[in-house]
Amino acid sequence: MHGGIDHDIAVLFVCLGNICRSPMAEGAFRAAARERGLACTVDSAGTASYHLGHQPDPRAIAIAEKHGIDIAGQSARQVERNDFYRFSHIVALDRANLEGLRARAPRDTLARLSMLMDAVDGRRGEPVADPYYGDAEAFEAAWSVIALGVDAWVERLLREGASLRV
Ligand code: 4NP
């Protein structure tokens, strides 16, 4: 702990377009962290630049809303160099996203790169399949996996000694 008001824990979720999976992960993680009292910063970004400035996919907004979480205010952005210094944990949604992050990571980054499901016992390395070309069911499936993953991340961070919100 170095005091001050900044959170020691800052988590960035990363997928390809930053309009489907990582916005859902950001929203679900923020809600889970709030519920458990975990003090942290959270954001999301994409490895690609196709959707810069776009709102999350309407199907992602709808599934989040169904679970009581509003992600409509998010706006897509691409991963940038400074993210590797601002975030303590950068969490990829699938293996290709993780490889993309590794390829960009500056040598002196202190950010820990992992995959979402790495925090879930027995499901380490499991990807969250891209629902973009799928149907509503694909979004439901992605949400279920993401919800499991973000809960496990919140628990892991609390176990690792992240500070509680006061
Ligand atoms: P995401 O889904 O990585 O979960 O945001 C995608 C969104 C857009 C594209 C691919 C995946 N795209 O090819 O435009």
Side-chain angles (χ1 to χ4, degrees), residues 110-148:
L110 296 178
R112 287 199 244 163
L113 308 188
S114 345
M115 283 174 68
L116 179 74
M117 296 305 278
D118 288 356
V120 181
D121 282 343
R123 296 180 73 168
R124 195 178 158 75
E126 191 180 306
V128 179
D130 187 351
Y132 185 63
Y133 296 104
D135 51 15
E137 239 173 73
F139 277 80
E140 287 277 2
W143 180 272
S144 304
V145 179
I146 287 168
L148 206 61

Side-chain angles (χ1 to χ4, degrees), residues 14-24 46 50-51 57 93-94 97 129-133:
V14 174
C15 62
L16 179 63
N18 192 212
I19 55 166
C20 299
R21 292 165 294 174
S22 61
M24 292 193 282
Y50 319 129
H51 296 281
D57 187 287
L93 275 286
D94 69 24
N97 307 146
D130 187 351
Y132 185 63
Y133 296 104

